């Protein structure tokens, strides 16, 4: 038997590979368990605290609406990073793409506020997608033309984008009143209708679901997705198979940028109703964790986005009900990352126990 | 089972070892033991279960059934650390060394003996030199591993195992990477180690080496142990029969040779690598329909680069690559593999892991280069049923041993992986085949299969460029042979004109 088998599964790793879902779930459970210990150390009851967390995240129409509302941008940024990753590129620039996409969409909405909604909304969506894609494509071109590592360029481009948006919001695009770094409010034509009456959840959630389904189809049922995955796994084999590897790599950057730009658009029309300086509390970065926990699969991303949104939304209820600071949820998010990355070790542990 | 040589319980005794991967049984109740001072060869085709068995010994796989005894004591080897603690040393086919560290530093990695926090490198170096002197294993402890030859790295692996106290040494196809003189050197070392009492497991599928080196030989076939015999009581013909279950004759090309038009050629191709070193200079080579052109030469004389230029993975610095097309010859020098595949080129690359296969299913790999063609995809959407059907046919036609098209290609044995690569390359009636070391690491049965397939393609009118460092292979299959030396073609001859003396002189750059 030849060397190749070294890359093959042993019974233990076959056990691990049985389900990536299980190991993601395990990461979450472990993170919550460690969180429970921290709650105990704080002097509160984990049961009470987690019950409050759950209640705050999913306990009523209103809280469910808030959680899903928060999940919308996380789903888009998570998809953006997942698809780039499948194509073998690390898009850490979703945050900047989000800011530029959002600003461009807001600018269109403010420039032609009286256009009927069926025209204005698509115009804004296309603009956000286009600008997000352009910003992402810049990193792609730098990578292919000069060999610049996108891990670095995308992060640098984030600073440029976010500072440029700050300038716009204090200068050319600032509201007439001129107090805050934000634009005027968008006209009613540009806004999204509410999805559930009495909550802030808007049409964007359906678009996020549609994006998940489309991403799944694109990755697993189109020849583009097939070739993209091949490039991500082995670019040399892709070249040898006759693929246009450069074009496929650029397409990963473009699709990723489109999705990140849309994340920004959703926040502008669905939540803030205008462009503001602090539009995103790091959706572009949390999206990296979402993509990771979701095993870079679109439906996994959706589940992870809802989970993280629930943690963030339920945190304040937890604080009110049990006195445990809501920052605990940030710790839990961090622990999830640790455990997902430490998956290999966990799997090994399970395999050992299984083999005994 | 007790050993034929040493006294007392065998240092390593496996009984009833069974390993299953899903529904596939890689080892089926295998018994195997090795005594003190014994060299026990483990023989078998690719996929017969040799490596799996040794991964059990290395603590990398925990078998579902069976017992492992060390010096008669049942043990549980749950990790490589357990195996090392029991005195088992592995020399893997792919060396487990860090090329940016020195030999001594490599030896220190992961062991407490060298000093827990700050290893005493000077002492380690002295110990290594002492071990080296005792067994004729010269290595410079201060040399960077990256600067060493393959044979030296192998010596480092052996010294490393000995330094860690190995009493049982397992070598997985150690000669696959060595030149003939280096093989002799390795054998001297192994005999010396055996005389000093080390128990040695020697995994191979080369009959000659097994006969020359081992005391006993065990043969695995399809995961089962089919025989264990003293080497003196057997012969290569019997071992070959046991290995493959039938008598085997390697095919050769017939003399009759009526080639057609030139299907691919290079004209004055030159290439420099990224360091500016000239790899190819003024290489002109043509292959006609219905002929096999063998490219012979000692490894590293530009054959690899020539193949990449033919396949479109590299562009030449000067010169041109021309392919035939229905509308006449086309200059493809500046086009990548995609255009050439469209013109009928198939590439069987040397390094299947890096260039030919992707960590996906067999089915996905089977359609890798034809995913855009109907019926595999229509209007950009994958036709999963057609892909599966295509892969199922490829598996059947090439006798790929697997559980089905959904099995991960990386879980196949090397021979079966190569069958996937070959089957894919030949699935679309190629006009030109560039095959580089197509049988490297394959056993006899798989080698014969690859040779038959290439000859069949020649009959069908394909132009084949066969790059191989195995002279036997080149001589058996080629209508014409060119010899490369230092990036140039130093000689060309027809099958009838070949003599070994001439070939040897050309390969060492002495004459044309």
């Amino acid at each position: 038997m030849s060397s190749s088998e070294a890359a093959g599964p042993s019974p233990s790793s076959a056990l691990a590979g049985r389900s990536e879902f299980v190991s993601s779930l395990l990461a979450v459970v472990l993170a919550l368990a460690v969180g429970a210990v921290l709650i105990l150390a704080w002097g509160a009851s984990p049961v009470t605290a987690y019950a409050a967390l759950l209640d705050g995240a999913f306990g009523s129409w209103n809280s469910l609406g808030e959680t899903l509302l928060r999940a919308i941008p996380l789903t888009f940024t998570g998809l953006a990073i997942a698809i780039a990753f499948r194509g073998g590129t690390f898009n850490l620039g979703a945050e900047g793409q989000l800011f530029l996409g959002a600003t461009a969409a807001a600018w269109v909405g403010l420039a032609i506020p009286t256009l009927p909604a069926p025209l204005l909304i698509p115009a804004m969506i296309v603009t956000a997608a286009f600008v997000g894609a352009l910003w992402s494509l810049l990193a792609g071109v730098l990578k292919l033309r000069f060999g610049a590592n996108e891990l670095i360029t995308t992060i640098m481009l984030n600073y440029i984008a976010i500072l440029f948006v700050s300038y716009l919001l204090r200068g050319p695009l600032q509201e007439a009143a001129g107090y805050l770094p934000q634009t005027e409010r968008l006209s009613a034509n540009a806004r999204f209708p509410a999805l559930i009456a009495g909550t802030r959840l808007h049409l964007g959630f359906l678009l996020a679901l549609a994006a998940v389904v489309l991403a799944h189809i694109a990755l697993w049922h189109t020849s583009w997705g097939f070739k993209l995955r091949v490039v991500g796994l082995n670019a040399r084999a892709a070249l040898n198979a006759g693929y246009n590897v450069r074009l496929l790599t650029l397409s990963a950057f473009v699709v990723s940028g489109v999705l990140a730009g849309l994340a920004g658009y959703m926040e502008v029309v669905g939540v803030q109703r205008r462009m503001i300086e602090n539009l995103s509390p790091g959706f572009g970065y949390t999206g990296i964790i979402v993509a990771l926990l979701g095993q870079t699969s679109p439906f996994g991303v959706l589940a992870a986005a809802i989970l993280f949104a629930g943690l963030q939304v339920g945190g304040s209820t937890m604080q009110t009900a049990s006195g445990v600071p809501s920052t605990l949820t940030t710790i839990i998010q961090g622990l999830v990352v640790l455990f997902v990355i430490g998956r290999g070790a966990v799997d090994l542990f399970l395999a050992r126990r299984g083999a005994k | 089972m007790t050993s034929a040589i040493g006294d007392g319980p065998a240092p390593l005794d496996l009984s009833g070892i069974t390993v299953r991967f899903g529904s596939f049984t890689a080892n089926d109740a295998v018994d195997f033991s090795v005594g003190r001072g014994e060299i026990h060869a483990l023989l078998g085709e690719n996929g017969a279960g040799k490596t799996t068995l040794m991964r059990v010994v290395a603590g990398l796989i925990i078998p579902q059934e069976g017992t492992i005894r060390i010096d008669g004591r049942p043990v549980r080897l749950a990790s490589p650390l357990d195996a090392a603690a029991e005195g088992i040393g592995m020399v893997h086919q792919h060396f487990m060394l860090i090329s940016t560290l020195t030999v001594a530093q490599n030896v220190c990695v992961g062991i407490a003996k060298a000093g827990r926090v700050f290893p005493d490198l000077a002492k380690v170096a002295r110990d290594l030199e002492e071990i080296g002197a005792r067994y004729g294993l010269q290595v410079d402890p201060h040399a960077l591993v990256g600067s060493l030859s393959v044979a030296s790295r192998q010596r480092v692996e052996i010294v490393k195992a000995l330094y860690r106290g190995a009493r049982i040494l397992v070598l997985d196809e150690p000669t696959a990477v060595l030149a003939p003189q280096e093989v002799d050197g390795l054998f001297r070392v192994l005999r010396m180690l055996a005389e000093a009492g080390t128990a040695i497991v020697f995994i191979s599928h080369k009959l000659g080496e097994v006969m020359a080196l081992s005391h006993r030989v065990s043969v695995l076939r399809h995961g089962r142990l089919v025989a264990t015999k003293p080497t003196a009581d057997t012969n290569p013909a019997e071992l070959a029969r046991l290995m493959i279950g039938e008598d085997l004759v390697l095919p050769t090309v017939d003399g009759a040779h009526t080639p057609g038009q030139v299907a691919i050629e290079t004209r004055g191709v030159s290439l420099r690598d990224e360091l500016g070193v000239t790899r190819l200079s003024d290489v002109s080579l043509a292959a006609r329909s219905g002929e096999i052109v063998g490219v012979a030469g000692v490894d590293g004389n530009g054959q690899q680069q020539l193949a990449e230029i033919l396949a479109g993975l590299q562009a030449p610095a000067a010169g041109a690559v021309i392919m035939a097309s229905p509308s006449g010859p086309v200059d493809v020098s500046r086009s990548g593999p995609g255009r050439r595949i469209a013109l009928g080129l198939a590439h069987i690359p040397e390094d299947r892991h890096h260039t030919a296969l992707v960590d996906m299913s067999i089915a996905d790999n089977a359609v890798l280069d034809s995913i855009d063609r109907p019926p595999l995809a229509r209007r950009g959407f994958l036709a999963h049923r057609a892909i599966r059907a295509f892969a199922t046919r490829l598996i059947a036609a090439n006798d790929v041993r697997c559980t089905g098209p959904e099995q991960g290609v990386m879980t196949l044995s090397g021979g079966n992986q190569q069958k996937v690569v070959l089957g894919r390359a030949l699935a679309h009636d190629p006009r030109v085949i560039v095959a580089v070391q197509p049988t490297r690491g394959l056993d006899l049965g798989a080698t014969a299969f690859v040779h038959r397939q290439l000859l069949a393609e020649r009959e069908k009118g394909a132009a084949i460029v066969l790059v191989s460092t195995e002279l036997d292979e080149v001589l058996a299959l080629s209508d014409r042979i060119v010899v490369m030396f230092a990036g140039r073609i130093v000689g060309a001859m027809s099958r009838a004109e070949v003599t070994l003396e001439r070939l040897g002189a050309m390969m060492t750059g002495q004459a044309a």
Side-chain angles (χ1 to χ4, degrees):
Chain A
M1 202 172 287
S2 96
S3 62
S4 53
E5 217 174 29
S10 61
S12 53
S13 68
L15 182 79
R18 188 172 54 195
S19 175
E20 296 182 321
F21 170 74
V22 169
S23 59
S24 275
L25 202 66
L26 206 68
V28 173
V29 170
L30 282 172
L32 289 173
V34 175
V37 174
L38 292 176
I39 294 171
L40 277 175
W42 180 262
S45 151
V47 177
T48 318
Y50 280 152
L53 181 73
L54 206 61
D55 185 52
F58 304 104
S60 68
W61 280 116
N62 188 48
S63 53
L64 180 66
E66 283 300 307
T67 295
L68 296 184
L69 180 75
R70 181 55 76 101
I72 296 170
L74 288 179
T75 302
F76 276 102
T77 55
L79 285 177
I81 287 144
I83 287 195
F85 190 80
R86 287 279 180 181
T89 56
F90 293 90
N91 178 13
L92 303 186
E95 189 78 357
Q97 293 147 21
L98 178 154
F99 266 96
L100 285 180
T103 310
W107 175 73
V108 169
L110 293 168
I112 39 175
T114 54
L115 203 66
L119 294 177
L120 185 56
I121 288 175
M124 290 170 72
I125 288 180
V126 169
T127 309
F130 181 74
V131 171
L134 266 188
W135 201 244
S136 177
L137 189 62
L138 187 55
V141 171
L142 288 172
K143 175 182 171 127
L144 292 185
R145 189 76 186 79
F146 304 104
N149 188 332
E150 76 273 17
L151 280 171
I152 294 165
T153 56
T154 50
I155 287 187
M156 303 293 251
L157 287 168
N158 281 347
Y159 289 109
I160 298 172
I162 293 166
L163 290 172
F164 179 61
V165 167
S166 282
Y167 155 74
L168 290 176
L169 294 179
R170 288 159 200 276
L173 294 182
Q174 195 172 22
E175 57 177 352
Y179 296 121
L180 296 169
Q182 61 185 25
T183 65
E184 295 287 353
R185 268 175 87 79
L186 290 167
S187 68
N189 290 356
R191 299 181 200 162
F192 270 172
L195 208 57
I196 305 177
T199 72
R200 294 201 294 161
L201 187 63
H202 57 82
L203 187 67
F205 185 66
L206 294 185
L207 294 179
L209 291 182
V212 167
V213 173
L214 283 177
H216 176 83
I217 292 173
L219 274 179
W220 300 102
H221 297 284
T222 70
S223 54
W224 172 78
F226 181 94
K227 291 196 265 187
L228 188 77
R229 287 185 286 124
V230 171
V231 170
L233 289 168
N234 186 344
R236 185 170 160 85
L239 182 67
N240 190 55
Y243 300 177
N244 190 333
V245 175
R246 298 169 71 86
L247 198 63
L248 285 163
T249 301
L250 284 181
S251 76
F253 275 101
V254 166
V255 171
S256 187
V258 163
L259 289 162
L262 290 178
Y265 164 79
M266 295 294 159
E267 287 301 283
V268 163
V269 297
V271 181
Q272 305 298 342
R273 309 288 166 85
R274 54 161 46 110
M275 183 62 202
I276 64 168
E277 193 175 35
N278 298 317
L279 182 77
S280 160
F283 291 129
Y285 298 113
T286 311
I288 299 166
I289 316 176
V290 168
L292 204 65
L293 182 65
Q295 307 283 2
T296 65
S297 106
F299 287 105
V301 163
L302 178 66
I306 293 174
L307 177 86
F308 276 28
L311 278 177
Q312 292 173 1
V313 169
S316 53
T317 310
M318 179 179 72
Q319 183 161 6
T320 320
S322 65
V324 177
S326 64
T327 43
L328 179 80
T329 59
T330 314
I331 296 178
I332 291 176
Q333 286 185 37
L335 287 170
V336 168
V337 178
L338 264 176
F339 287 128
V340 169
I341 293 171
R343 202 184 109 205
V346 174
D347 290 343
L348 197 65
F349 171 73
L350 283 182
R352 286 282 155 72
R353 271 202 2 193
K356 263 178 196 162
Chain B
M1 202 183 288
T2 49
S3 133
I5 291 191
D7 304 321
L12 174 68
D13 184 6
L14 309 177
S15 57
I17 299 292
T18 298
V19 177
R20 292 184 204 94
F21 299 112
S23 60
F24 174 70
T25 305
N27 283 159
D28 190 356
V30 174
D31 298 331
F32 184 86
S33 76
V34 56
R36 251 180 71 80
E38 183 187 30
I39 301 179
H40 191 159
L42 184 58
L43 194 63
E45 291 200 289
N46 292 310
K50 305 187 298 282
T51 301
T52 302
L53 192 63
M54 287 310 114
R55 286 168 69 81
V56 168
V57 174
L60 292 165
I61 295 179
I62 300 165
Q64 278 89 353
E65 289 162 33
T67 316
I68 305 170
R69 287 195 182 78
I70 302 284
D71 300 328
R73 210 161 23 84
V75 294
R76 199 180 119 79
L77 303 178
S79 78
L81 286 179
D82 293 350
E86 296 292 352
I88 297 168
M90 299 288 297
V91 177
H92 294 276
Q93 223 171 3
H94 294 263
F95 302 144
M96 307 289 173
L97 297 171
I98 302 163
S99 53
T100 51
L101 297 183
T102 67
V103 170
Q105 285 167 337
N106 263 285
V107 169
C108 294
V109 172
I111 52 167
K113 181 179 162 188
R116 273 225 178 264
V117 180
F118 297 106
D120 183 353
L121 284 170
K123 181 174 180 312
V124 172
R126 280 196 305 278
D127 290 349
L128 294 185
E129 277 167 349
E130 202 240 319
I131 292 171
R134 203 182 317 150
Y135 301 110
L137 276 161
Q138 275 75 28
V139 291
D140 173 6
H142 306 291
L144 274 184
V145 165
S147 69
L148 298 178
S149 71
V150 171
S152 308
R153 287 183 207 198
Q154 190 174 60
R155 284 199 293 275
V156 173
E157 285 280 26
I158 295 173
V159 169
K160 185 170 90 177
L162 295 176
Y163 178 77
R164 292 173 182 210
R167 298 174 299 120
I168 303 157
L169 196 61
V170 179
L171 300 106
D172 190 2
E173 307 213 358
T175 60
V177 292
L178 299 182
Q181 320 82 288
E182 295 169 336
V183 170
D184 294 341
L186 173 69
F187 282 8
R188 266 199 306 281
V189 168
L190 293 182
R191 287 195 188 102
M192 227 185 284
L193 284 170
E195 272 159 31
T198 309
I200 296 176
V201 180
F202 177 78
I203 302 177
S204 179
H205 57 243
K206 294 185 181 163
L207 300 174
E209 294 176 354
V210 168
M211 292 302 298
L213 183 69
S214 67
H215 301 117
R216 267 199 302 167
V217 51
S218 286
V219 183
L220 281 177
R221 188 166 79 228
H222 299 325
R224 291 209 183 85
L225 185 75
V226 291
T228 297
K229 287 174 171 268
T231 310
D233 296 352
T234 184
N235 57 63
E238 184 189 25
L239 290 177
R241 259 198 314 281
L242 288 168
M243 251 167 86
I244 58 179
E246 63 189 271
D247 287 305
L248 183 96
V249 184
L250 283 176
T252 55
V253 71
D254 55 41
H257 169 217
T258 47
Q261 298 296 308
V262 170
I264 190 165
E265 67 174 311
T266 65
R267 291 184 191 155
V269 159
S270 299
L271 183 73
R272 255 184 224 115
D273 66 14
E274 52 275 23
L275 300 173
V277 178
T278 301
R279 291 291 177 181
L280 291 175
S281 38
D282 195 24
V283 171
S284 295
L285 175 79
R288 295 167 180 273
S289 297
E291 74 168 350
I292 299 182
V293 179
V295 179
V298 177
D299 211 358
N301 276 289
Q303 304 99 307
Q304 175 67 30
Q305 287 77 11
L306 177 62
E308 290 197 351
I309 281 177
L310 287 170
L313 290 171
Q314 288 212 48
V321 182
I322 316 285
M323 278 184 79
S325 80
S327 54
V330 191
D331 186 335
V332 293
S333 311
R334 299 286 143 201
S335 22
R339 172 110 174 89
R340 302 182 196 206
I341 290 170
L343 288 172
L345 179 120
H347 181 208
I348 300 166
E350 175 174 17
D351 186 341
R352 41 179 184 267
H353 286 144
H354 287 118
T355 314
L357 295 174
V358 182
D359 188 3
M360 291 163 82
S361 68
I362 298 173
D364 288 343
N365 277 281
V367 300
L368 207 67
D369 59 356
S370 53
I371 191 64
D372 279 330
R373 297 186 203 176
L376 302 176
R378 291 187 186 281
R379 295 170 200 274
F381 284 90
L382 303 179
H384 293 289
R385 200 170 298 173
I387 291 172
R388 201 189 145 84
F390 180 88
T392 307
R393 282 199 304 277
L394 188 146
I395 287 168
N398 295 281
D399 188 28
V400 179
R401 310 264 168 83
C402 62
T403 58
E406 271 74 44
Q407 188 180 346
V409 82
M410 295 304 177
T411 68
L412 293 176
S413 69
N416 283 307
Q417 288 178 345
Q418 188 70 351
K419 286 176 184 172
V420 172
V421 173
L422 185 80
R424 178 177 75 200
L426 306 185
H428 306 286
D429 289 326
R431 307 300 308 145
V432 175
I433 299 167
V434 177
V436 187
Q437 308 284 14
T439 59
R440 177 173 280 184
L442 299 195
D443 57 58
L444 288 173
T447 298
F449 179 80
V450 171
H451 286 181
R452 275 198 298 275
Q453 294 289 86
L454 290 176
L455 289 172
E457 291 300 319
R458 170 182 174 271
E459 287 301 310
K460 285 200 273 175
I464 301 174
V465 178
L466 170 70
V467 177
S468 177
T469 50
E470 301 277 338
L471 267 188
D472 292 346
E473 180 165 73
V474 173
L475 290 173
L477 298 183
S478 307
D479 294 298
R480 287 193 299 124
I481 295 173
V482 302
V483 181
M484 291 195 70
F485 179 77
R488 291 176 181 277
I489 289 183
V490 292
M493 58 199 114
S494 74
R495 190 175 167 69
E497 300 165 336
V498 173
T499 63
L500 275 178
E501 292 71 33
R502 242 183 113 187
L503 216 52
M506 285 179 182
M507 285 171 65
T508 48
Q510 289 165 19

